Amino acid sequence: MAIDDSRLTPPATPQQGPLARLIHLLSSMPVAVFLLCTVALASMIGTILVQNREEDFYIANLGPTWYKILDALDFFNMYDSWWFLAIMTLLVLSVSAALLRHGPRFWHMSRPLRVMRPWPKKSDGGFSLTSPLASDPDATKALLRRLGFSEFQRGEEHGRPLLLARQGRFSKYGFFLVHGGVVLICVGGLITSQLGFRGVMNLPEQESDNRIYVSEGSSYRTLQLPFLVRNDDFDISFYKSGMPSEYSSQLTLHRDGQDILSKRITVNDPLRYQGVTFYQASFGDAGSAVEFAIRDLTSKGFPEQKIKSEVHKELEDGMGLKLTIKELRQHNVMNMAQEEGKSELRDVGPSLDIHFSSPSSGNITYRIYMSYPHMLAFGRTGDREMTYDDLGFNPADSVKMELLAAYLDELSKVEGERGPDQNRAAFAAAMTAMGLPLSRAAELGPAIANAEQVLRRHKLPMLFSFSGFEPKMYTGLQVARDPGSPLVWSACALLVIGLYMMIYMHEKRVWIRFDRERQQLEVCAVLSGKDKHPVNTTLERLRRELAAAPPIPSGK
């Protein structure tokens, strides 16, 4: 009987039926490699291409043509697409077919030795040598046991003793662990994709909700938990640079008016309850109260209007003017170096973004700084970066703003070309109109002249000053239910164990025939894995040990 471990799969025979041929095709190595490569390629695409974002995001980054092509292929929601699930299903079927096709042979080969196997017609090596052990099979068996062999069968061939030794039969179980692990990982992923979810929940402080928003391509669907989640407190700390160093939320789960569980979660310490996990993922403004003032530069005297509102609110008048309070930043890090090419990063404190829109002036986004009220920062529609300039004083300074308005009014009366004399005359007239002594001209003149040039350069319709805020934050939670996770982790452990057994554990079978008359041993081996190499193999070691065996005592 020939034993050939290198060919475990018999060729397909013409007598096989359709089901057997299908199993043969699915279990073939080319099909398995193709499916694994396809899954790997799809996973790479899913990692590079951001998943589950809004349609505008993809159009802005990829263009309308590529968006339509990739959206038709479900590349923006790839892991839930029909074709990805089909590939995973085919991979499960392929690996299962391999188990069905090759499993019985591997199982048969992993069974304990029960009967003596005949001398193999084809082997991975062999040798003959003269040894005192030729007359003592028991001593030879003891030597083989020291070399790691644990299973033995004794027999006889043509009147000569025959010994079969084997080690590493458990390596064949690695085949079942690896293939079974792959199947279980895929099944666990499919279970999670069909029965699990991963969504977001934004909870303002002291508020409760049970709605989770799960992304589906460019839209969302809403899921409701059977209990409420309350954000009792949100806490955040910052580095000196203004970057967040740590943030956490005190969450309480309650149902039917009773608290169930309470825990403070951080980025790496989530809350788990009934298979649902709450991760600390982000934070943001939940409608902080803000106070600011507006100077209307299109009206005579630059009148000031003080406003109290909330972040994300929109203010609108009947003339088409809109103010949208976009964002409150409590920390802003900017390069405040005076010299070009140098860096002096500094936290300049809170800022407020206000979007201004009117039929006459278009769309402008202002950024106003509480600690640097004289600094102008704005961006018009189409600008990629903010424009910065220095007004020279706080727009909330009524005296200077009214003087600036009067000065611009006097300049508008000047006919013909303006020169230094006309500017000085207009400034003097403005101070007189406001009842300010001309002795303050040296103090106020440079600031007003600079502000006039800034306003003429940028043609801004309004100026803002930021006076105060009361923060109200929300905690951004990522909420996940992963019913297939225990199965996947268990399968990963099986996969690692199986790979270790297949790579580092090898089956070895050695037949030894004893010729007592000539004091010779004839050895034949069937080896696997690295032991087939000619250097430092089990066969070479066995040759050395048998050759170096001491003589058998005569009384034995």
Side-chain angles (χ1 to χ4, degrees):
M1 176 180 177
I3 298 178
D4 183 7
D5 284 280
S6 65
R7 296 177 60 92
L8 295 176
T9 306
T13 60
Q15 291 78 22
Q16 289 180 325
L19 180 59
R21 288 197 296 269
L22 178 61
I23 293 175
H24 185 276
L25 175 64
L26 283 175
S27 63
S28 64
M29 184 64 72
V31 171
V33 170
F34 171 77
L35 291 173
L36 285 171
C37 291
T38 304
V39 170
L41 179 61
S43 300
M44 289 173 60
I45 295 173
T47 302
I48 296 171
L49 192 64
V50 181
Q51 299 287 297
N52 299 316
R53 291 294 298 270
E54 301 79 10
E55 179 179 339
D56 294 341
F57 173 83
Y58 294 116
I59 293 177
N61 287 275
L62 302 173
T65 302
W66 276 108
Y67 168 74
K68 290 180 181 178
I69 295 173
L70 297 178
D71 185 53
L73 296 172
D74 275 340
F75 270 35
F76 303 130
N77 188 27
M78 194 180 67
Y79 297 111
D80 290 325
S81 63
W82 66 268
W83 59 266
F84 188 80
L85 294 178
I87 292 173
M88 294 296 290
T89 303
L90 284 175
L91 182 59
V92 171
L93 292 175
S94 176
V95 179
S96 301
L99 276 171
L100 182 64
R101 180 184 175 193
H102 303 303
R105 182 174 293 272
F106 276 95
W107 183 259
H108 177 77
M109 296 177 65
S110 65
R111 290 187 302 174
L113 290 176
R114 298 185 183 278
V115 295
M116 182 66 198
R117 306 282 178 89
W119 189 271
K121 296 179 181 178
K122 185 177 179 181
S123 69
D124 295 312
F127 58 88
S128 298
L129 56 76
T130 302
S131 172
L133 296 179
S135 58
D136 194 342
D138 291 331
T140 306
K141 179 179 176 180
L143 185 148
L144 290 171
R145 193 180 295 278
R146 290 197 302 272
L147 293 177
F149 290 88
S150 56
E151 293 183 88
F152 302 93
Q153 283 293 327
R154 297 179 66 166
E156 189 173 290
E157 187 178 72
H158 305 298
R160 290 180 293 181
L162 192 65
L163 177 65
L164 169 61
R166 181 172 74 164
Q167 73 173 108
R169 73 178 179 91
F170 293 107
S171 64
K172 302 302 180 185
Y173 294 147
F175 169 83
F176 298 98
L177 295 180
V178 169
H179 287 72
V182 172
V183 171
L184 293 179
I185 288 174
C186 295
V187 170
L190 290 172
I191 290 174
T192 295
S193 67
Q194 299 303 310
L195 303 179
F197 60 81
R198 185 175 293 272
V200 296
M201 172 186 285
N202 293 333
L203 273 180
E205 291 181 277
Q206 301 303 319
E207 292 189 17
S208 301
D209 202 352
N210 68 339
R211 292 170 297 176
I212 301 169
Y213 298 94
V214 180
S215 177
E216 289 187 341
S218 58
S219 61
Y220 294 88
R221 63 184 173 99
T222 304
L223 297 177
Q224 289 192 336
L225 296 172
F227 50 84
L228 288 170
V229 185
R230 185 177 68 238
N231 179 13
D232 295 325
D233 174 63
F234 177 79
D235 184 63
I236 184 170
S237 57
F238 296 87
Y239 293 111
K240 292 182 179 180
S241 64
M243 297 297 292
S245 62
E246 185 179 8
Y247 49 95
S248 62
S249 304
Q250 182 69 39
L251 300 183
T252 298
L253 310 183
H254 60 110
R255 180 166 44 197
D256 301 328
Q258 294 185 347
D259 292 346
I260 306 170
L261 178 64
S262 183
K263 180 181 179 180
R264 178 166 290 278
I265 68 170
T266 59
V267 173
N268 296 315
D269 186 16
L271 168 65
R272 293 181 173 88
Y273 179 72
Q274 290 187 346
V276 181
T277 305
F278 298 87
Y279 299 93
Q280 178 70 74
S282 62
F283 62 90
D285 197 290
S288 299
V290 294
E291 297 180 16
F292 60 94
I294 303 175
R295 287 282 183 180
D296 184 0
L297 303 183
T298 62
S299 300
K300 185 177 178 62
F302 298 167
E304 182 184 58
Q305 180 183 2
K306 294 185 177 180
I307 294 178
K308 292 184 177 181
S309 186
E310 297 176 355
V311 176
H312 308 311
K313 284 291 182 68
E314 185 178 278
L315 309 176
E316 185 175 4
D317 66 4
M319 304 298 293
L321 186 148
K322 288 183 181 180
L323 289 180
T324 304
I325 306 167
K326 300 285 288 184
E327 183 178 5
L328 169 66
R329 292 185 178 93
Q330 298 186 41
H331 297 268
N332 290 270
V333 179
M334 298 181 64
N335 184 8
M336 305 297 288
Q338 300 295 324
E339 300 181 25
E340 189 175 351
K342 291 192 175 181
S343 178
E344 184 185 338
L345 298 179
R346 189 187 309 169
D347 182 5
V348 298
S351 70
L352 186 66
D353 284 10
I354 300 176
H355 183 73
F356 168 81
S357 175
S358 75
S360 58
S361 301
N363 298 309
I364 305 175
T365 298
Y366 289 84
R367 181 167 296 164
I368 51 179
Y369 296 87
M370 181 181 291
S371 303
Y372 292 82
H374 55 85
M375 185 164 59
L376 298 180
F378 58 91
R380 300 181 189 273
T381 301
D383 292 349
R384 294 191 175 185
E385 296 181 357
M386 300 289 287
T387 298
Y388 290 87
D389 210 332
D390 193 343
L391 183 68
F393 55 87
N394 189 345
D397 189 331
S398 298
V399 173
K400 291 182 180 178
M401 287 302 299
E402 291 174 11
L403 180 58
L404 175 61
Y407 176 52
L408 292 175
D409 185 54
E410 293 294 333
L411 286 177
S412 67
K413 301 175 184 177
V414 177
E415 297 181 357
E417 248 184 77
R418 280 172 43 198
D421 293 337
Q422 287 81 2
N423 291 340
R424 282 193 291 270
F427 185 68
M431 292 194 67
T432 301
M434 288 191 59
L436 296 173
L438 295 179
S439 60
R440 297 188 63 186
E443 171 197 347
L444 299 174
I448 300 301
N450 173 74
E452 184 269 334
Q453 292 179 12
V454 169
L455 295 186
R456 181 158 46 87
R457 184 161 57 242
H458 299 300
K459 298 181 175 59
L460 296 174
M462 286 188 173
L463 289 179
F464 295 85
S465 56
F466 184 21
S467 55
F469 67 95
E470 185 176 340
K472 182 181 180 181
M473 305 294 291
Y474 73 79
T475 180
L477 303 175
Q478 188 177 84
V479 187
R481 182 174 181 269
D482 191 358
S485 178
L487 186 62
V488 169
W489 284 111
S490 301
C492 287
L494 295 178
L495 188 61
V496 170
I497 295 172
L499 286 173
Y500 177 85
M501 295 173 69
M502 293 181 69
I503 295 173
Y504 296 104
M505 297 174 64
H506 306 284
E507 184 185 31
K508 308 174 184 67
R509 300 182 188 181
V510 174
W511 284 260
I512 301 179
R513 191 155 44 195
F514 298 86
D515 190 340
R516 294 175 176 174
E517 294 181 3
R518 293 184 293 176
Q519 287 292 296
Q520 282 191 338
L521 292 176
E522 187 177 354
V523 178
C524 178
V526 174
L527 309 173
S528 62
K530 63 182 180 181
D531 288 299
K532 290 185 179 181
H533 297 292
V535 181
N536 295 327
T537 65
T538 300
L539 198 59
E540 292 297 319
R541 185 182 176 190
L542 180 59
R543 183 198 298 270
R544 292 194 300 269
E545 293 287 343
L546 291 174
I552 304 300
S554 57
K556 188 170 180 177

